Amino acid sequence: MQTVLVMPGVLEIPAAIINNLLVEREIAWKAWFAGGGQTAHLMATAPQANTRQRIGDLDFYVGAAGQNTPRFPENRNARDGRVGRYHWHVVYVLDITKQ
């Protein structure tokens, strides 16, 4: 299986099995805080923006969504209507076993 990761420096876990997805949550973050304003390497491509990617037996959102474009409907009116000031990223807590 070939997996394309968005962030440089992220390593695949060798010989690992994802047993369970424990938490999936979309978070808002101030992109201008991260990396001295360089965020292109974190952003989802157009096809990734609203389509989950199959990794192993599970589907994940990869890459960050741009300003004013949260993926989860409950976040579209988040932060008292200030959605446009934040980028969005889905974070996961996984149960992983090393083979």
Side-chain angles (χ1 to χ4, degrees):
M1 172 183 70
Q2 181 181 7
T3 302
V4 177
L5 300 171
V6 176
M7 271 183 64
V10 175
L11 302 175
E12 288 186 43
I13 300 171
I17 297 174
I18 300 172
N19 295 316
N20 199 8
L21 171 63
L22 302 174
V23 176
E24 177 186 60
R25 178 136 325 135
E26 187 173 37
I27 59 169
W29 57 286
K30 296 179 181 177
W32 51 270
F33 258 19
Q38 302 296 321
T39 58
H41 64 286
L42 300 174
M43 302 307 295
T45 63
Q48 294 169 339
N50 293 306
T51 305
R52 295 172 187 265
Q53 306 298 305
R54 173 66 61 163
I55 300 173
D57 293 331
L58 299 173
D59 295 325
F60 299 94
Y61 285 113
V62 296
Q67 289 184 337
N68 201 30
T69 57
R71 291 171 167 135
F72 294 1
E74 62 268 23
N75 292 329
R76 294 204 178 112
N77 294 318
R79 307 245 187 227
D80 299 324
R82 296 177 291 176
V83 173
R85 297 182 186 183
Y86 298 93
H87 284 69
W88 296 86
H89 209 294
V90 179
V91 296
Y92 298 92
V93 177
L94 305 170
D95 176 16
I96 298 175
T97 302
K98 187 174 180 181
Q99 288 183 327

